[in-house]
Amino acid sequence: MEASGSQIGGRIKRLRRVRHLSQADLAAALGISPSYLNLIEHNRRKVTVPLLFSIAGYFGVEPGELVDSDEGRLVGDLMEIFGDDLFADSDLTNLEIRDLAHANPAAARAVLKLYDRYKNFTGAASPRPMPGEAEPFHLATDAISDFLQANANHFPALEEAAERVRVDIDNSGDSFETGIKTYLFNVFGLETRLASLPHGVARQLDAARRHLLVSDLLPGETASFLLAQQIGTLAASAEIDAVIDGANLPEGDAPALARNVLSSYFAAALLMPYEPFLKACRDHRYDIDRIGRRFGASFEQVCHRMTTLQRKGASGIPLHLVRTDIAGNISKRFSLSGIHIPRHSGACPRWNIYAAFLAPDRINVQISQMPDGQRYFCIARTITKGDYRYNAPRRHLSIGLGCAIHHAKEMIYAEGVDLTSEQQIVPIGTGCRICPRLECSSRAHPPADHRFRLDDSIRPESIYARMG
């Protein structure tokens, strides 16, 4: 017998890379040839059921975790790009797009890559956007999102490096805040100081004086995070470089952006050590504010850290995370829950990440149902960023976090919510151009694969909600 699932190979490849194994090492452990493993990882050979169980046992995962593919996310990405006006005359159907993703996932990903480069080219040629408009597409940002997704946003080498540094800081006898500054001075000769820095600069290294300057306008948790991130760039540079060298990132800005992302990952692991943080999540049922108080971290920092809990044998809830501004521009996206987050366009206006702006600083809870019938438990809350000074400009963002509905009871936010009630469900989509919900009065655009057939005798609330 053979196991189906078009992305088994990709999952095996990701697990192998996370464990820093060569194809030869894994093939030897499984009793197969490296060439056969290479074909499996590229989805050119199906995996027999006995081999599937051997691979799952070797990595300590359930066989179903390998079989379950990310085809849904690939289909969603394809539908999103084919909803572009560029393809308006192509008349592609959703079924044809699904067939492409299922039958030829490598070709489908090549199409995504080509479209990404097209958007990068056209964005670079466009004028700078006006305030409130979306930024031009940048190839590196999506490359980093895909990179994090491929690694399940979990990097064991950085976790280990952060734990080594944490032990040194904890053994110093100082408070953690003092200990982190002492570590920077004793190990790297850097004296930490609060300073009045130029507008927009949060941290600055004065190499000549060996001073690490942090803006005195920042919240305390942000200042601590920046110090921890600086330690990451210095103490974990080898680990960060190794991760980047093993990634298939495009040239240009992507490696530099990846280095910043990975040093931030180190900082979160240093401030919120894996085992105590996972225990706090389980003990307090993912109560973000309570856990933030425990570790001296912000709401956004805790949410990010929760998405990284994917250690073998000690994993947290598979979560998704999205960050958007008030204009609908998605600046961060990651999904282990299975929910599809738009790649290039804004998300569904029915999603609670937008409703959260109507009730600032309050947790907005929603049971979201995608067009394929899958349900997710989603929470969202707004945050405000800006200098701690009078009349400083502020940025208002919404952070969304969620899981598949069967994990909802593990989160404190599900208390008092009837998870089985049909009345609690909010139908949402990925984006108007690829959403099949024709009756939706919140539509901003017509579906890409439908045409207008309007009745002049009727004026609907939304003309896009009444189409042929």
Side-chain angles (χ1 to χ4, degrees), residues 71-82:
E71 183 180 305
R73 185 169 62 252
L74 179 58
V75 170
D77 285 343
L78 286 174
M79 286 185 175
E80 183 182 345
I81 69 169
F82 283 120

Side-chain angles (χ1 to χ4, degrees), residues 5-15 37 39-45 47 66:
S6 60
Q7 297 304 311
I8 291 179
R11 289 174 178 262
I12 294 172
K13 184 178 182 179
R14 176 177 64 78
L15 287 170
L37 177 60
L39 291 172
I40 289 174
E41 289 191 351
H42 287 85
N43 296 303
R44 295 175 183 172
R45 289 291 185 275
V47 182
L66 296 175

Side-chain angles (χ1 to χ4, degrees), residues 250-267:
E251 296 180 0
D253 295 334
L257 183 57
R259 188 164 284 103
N260 179 74
V261 168
L262 293 173
S263 63
S264 294
Y265 184 103
F266 174 95

Side-chain angles (χ1 to χ4, degrees), residues 17-222:
R17 286 183 169 178
V18 166
R19 306 300 197 279
H20 301 290
L21 296 170
S22 67
Q23 284 186 333
D25 292 336
L26 180 56
L30 298 173
I32 60 177
S33 69
S35 60
Y36 184 51
L37 177 60
N38 183 63
L39 291 172
I40 289 174
E41 289 191 351
H42 287 85
N43 296 303
R44 295 175 183 172
R45 289 291 185 275
K46 291 187 177 181
V47 182
T48 63
V49 171
L51 180 57
L52 176 69
F53 276 85
S54 295
I55 296 171
Y58 181 84
F59 288 113
V61 300
E62 294 296 325
E65 294 182 44
L66 296 175
V67 174
D68 290 339
S69 74
D70 61 352
E71 183 180 305
R73 185 169 62 252
L74 179 58
V75 170
D77 285 343
L78 286 174
M79 286 185 175
E80 183 182 345
I81 69 169
F82 283 120
D84 193 299
D85 289 340
L86 178 70
F87 303 102
D89 298 327
S90 299
D91 291 328
L92 284 170
T93 65
N94 291 350
L95 180 59
E96 289 170 330
I97 295 173
R98 287 192 178 92
D99 285 344
L100 172 61
H102 177 73
N104 294 289
R109 295 186 185 284
V111 171
L112 285 178
K113 186 175 182 179
L114 181 63
Y115 182 81
D116 285 349
R117 292 191 178 277
Y118 158 76
K119 292 293 287 186
N120 185 52
F121 175 78
T122 56
S126 302
R128 186 173 182 83
M130 297 297 290
E133 293 182 352
E135 289 290 327
F137 174 79
H138 198 291
L139 183 63
T141 57
D142 260 9
I144 296 303
S145 292
D146 292 343
F147 163 67
L148 295 177
Q149 192 73 49
N151 288 276
N153 200 20
H154 182 69
F155 300 93
L158 298 185
E159 296 283 353
E160 294 171 6
E163 288 174 359
R164 290 195 301 269
V165 173
R166 180 80 190 207
V167 168
D168 290 341
I169 292 175
D170 288 342
N171 288 339
S172 67
D174 298 321
S175 67
F176 182 75
E177 182 178 357
T178 301
I180 200 170
K181 296 176 182 178
T182 301
Y183 185 90
L184 280 165
F185 183 78
N186 289 342
V187 178
F188 301 107
L190 293 176
E191 183 179 348
T192 304
R193 292 187 176 184
L194 292 177
S196 179
L197 298 178
H199 176 66
V201 177
R203 183 188 65 203
Q204 183 173 318
L205 178 62
D206 185 342
R209 297 182 179 181
R210 304 302 294 169
H211 287 170
L212 182 60
L213 307 178
V214 177
S215 173
D216 57 5
L217 299 178
L218 296 175
E221 61 268 19
T222 303

Side-chain angles (χ1 to χ4, degrees), residues 374-444:
Q374 296 297 314
R375 296 178 182 178
Y376 302 89
F377 183 74
C378 304
I379 66 168
R381 204 195 85 175
T382 59
I383 60 172
T384 301
K385 293 190 175 185
D387 295 341
Y388 274 15
R389 60 183 174 86
Y390 174 70
N391 208 28
R394 297 284 191 266
R395 290 189 297 144
H396 303 282
L397 303 167
S398 178
I399 304 293
L401 191 76
C403 59
I405 193 67
H406 60 272
H407 285 295
K409 291 183 179 179
E410 299 174 55
M411 302 186 76
I412 197 168
Y413 307 104
E415 287 187 355
V417 179
D418 185 352
L419 300 174
T420 64
S421 172
E422 295 294 323
Q423 284 70 41
Q424 296 280 350
I425 295 170
V426 178
I428 68 170
T430 302
C432 289
R433 294 191 183 277
I434 62 174
C435 182
R437 303 186 193 279
L438 299 181
E439 76 287 354
C440 178
S441 61
S442 299
R443 278 195 169 277

